[in-house]
Amino acid sequence: MIARINVLLGMALVFAAMLSLMAGKVWVPLHDWASGDLASLIIFELRLPRVVLAVGIGAALGMAGAVMQGYLRNPLADPGLFGVSSSAALGAVASLFFGYAASALLLPLFALAGAATGMGLLAMLAGRSGSLILFTLAGMILSSLTGSLTALMISLAPTPFAASEIITWLMGALTDRSWDDVRLALPIMAAGMAVLAGTARSLDALTLGEAAARSMGVNTLRLQWLVVLGVGLTVGASVAAAGVIGFVGLIVPHLVRPLVGHKPSAVLLPSALAGALLVVLADSLVRIMPSTSELRLGIAMSLLGAPFFLALLYRMRRELV
């Protein structure tokens, strides 16, 4: 059953990616892709790297969300809870604030440095106990701190242009992304997903409780480090490539869980495929919308995710009552 769901999601993703390559202000039919003129340039130099990034980011955020919900045993957990996303955003904002974003590679490198710093601070705050409560509180503290510093940089921006650039980047988008962005971000996201996939069995054991997991041989401190590293790599690279794109890691596991069951290891791959599908479809939608300027992908995901989150809260409240 799970294998069939994965195959169906994979087929839907391929179809959505093909549709995304054709979609835009200028529609490019399939027979024009290899024509060698402007149409093929649009496909292979503008849209294909954008689609590849959308697939990678969606898969990375979807798997990160599934791992976080399995690790914290909380269906409302999201990769942004760790503070790694806001740390990566702070790094990118610092590059814009100090004028170091003139090179196309400097901004994503600053974002990755911010994510790495956030991972280190998170590990220091959480300590060596492997406690889920300490880990969650440490993530909340880090997220609040980095969010405040980001707001401070916006308010103290040296020029109105710099403030506008910071706010625009924080909205999240895949506009004007190139193969350089793909070469920088995709290997890091793949490495992070490989680390997260390695936590599957430990997450299954953790569903029985921390004490039971330890009795089954799970090293909770090692598991915590793997989760921090995997989420840091996936979320950091995603933010470095496209800015802040929220709610993917929250929505996707809830959509696939009724189809594959509640076992954390069974949710990981379907969440990655569904996350990639969701981001590709959302990016296609913002491109074909009849507007003078393209709607930012981060805004579109927030407009989709916020009602989903409220509906999820309402359903959980009814179940508790």
Side-chain angles (χ1 to χ4, degrees):
M1 178 64 180
I2 297 176
R4 185 181 303 173
I5 295 297
N6 289 332
V7 170
L8 290 175
L9 285 172
M11 292 172 61
L13 177 59
V14 171
F15 177 78
M18 298 285 286
L19 179 64
S20 182
L21 288 172
M22 291 188 283
K25 301 297 183 185
V26 177
W27 283 76
V28 182
L30 184 62
H31 57 79
D32 286 342
W33 288 11
S35 60
D37 57 8
L38 181 60
S40 61
L41 186 66
I42 291 174
I43 292 296
F44 293 106
E45 294 300 325
L46 296 179
R47 293 185 183 173
L48 186 56
R50 182 169 178 165
V51 171
V52 171
L53 270 180
V55 170
I57 290 170
L61 294 179
M63 182 175 284
V67 168
M68 275 207 59
Q69 291 179 14
Y71 178 67
L72 298 178
R73 288 165 285 166
N74 185 344
L76 301 180
D78 180 81
L81 180 65
F82 276 9
V84 177
S85 177
S86 56
S87 298
L90 177 61
V93 167
S95 73
L96 293 168
F97 181 87
F98 293 110
Y100 294 141
S103 169
L105 291 178
L106 279 180
L107 189 147
L109 287 176
F110 266 73
L112 289 172
T117 304
M119 289 161 55
L121 288 173
L122 182 61
M124 288 174 57
L125 290 170
R128 301 178 59 85
S129 64
S131 168
L132 292 178
I133 296 176
L134 281 176
F135 194 52
T136 305
L137 290 174
M140 293 174 63
I141 292 169
L142 180 62
S143 182
S144 176
L145 175 62
T146 52
S148 299
L149 290 174
T150 300
L152 178 65
M153 286 192 176
I154 294 174
S155 64
L156 297 179
T159 64
F161 177 76
S164 175
E165 283 289 300
I166 291 171
I167 293 171
T168 300
W169 186 86
L170 286 174
M171 292 178 184
L174 289 169
T175 310
D176 300 328
R177 297 306 186 265
S178 66
W179 288 111
D180 288 336
D181 298 289
V182 174
R183 283 189 286 269
L184 178 67
L186 209 61
I188 299 173
M189 286 188 282
M193 291 177 67
V195 172
L196 293 177
T199 66
R201 289 187 177 182
S202 298
L203 293 177
D204 287 346
L206 198 61
T207 58
L208 302 175
E210 289 184 65
R214 288 194 183 96
S215 68
M216 295 171 66
V218 175
N219 186 330
T220 55
L221 181 59
R222 178 178 177 274
L223 175 61
Q224 184 182 96
W225 273 100
L226 289 176
V227 172
V228 171
L229 179 62
V231 172
L233 290 173
T234 52
V235 175
S238 300
V239 173
V244 180
I245 299 175
F247 288 103
V248 178
L250 173 68
I251 295 174
V252 167
H254 285 281
L255 295 179
V256 302
R257 201 170 280 121
L259 303 175
V260 300
H262 293 268
K263 193 177 179 182
S265 60
V267 180
L268 298 189
L269 181 56
S271 292
L273 293 171
L277 178 61
L278 176 63
V279 175
V280 169
L281 290 175
D283 187 53
S284 302
L285 180 62
V286 299
R287 271 190 284 150
I288 64 176
M289 288 184 66
S291 56
T292 54
S293 61
E294 186 177 300
L295 178 67
R296 310 297 287 185
L297 179 60
I299 296 176
M301 289 306 306
S302 296
L303 290 173
L304 176 66
F308 181 89
F309 185 70
L310 290 174
L312 181 61
L313 283 177
Y314 180 72
R315 190 183 72 182
M316 292 179 66
R317 176 180 174 273
R318 291 187 63 184
E319 288 176 354
L320 290 174
V321 173

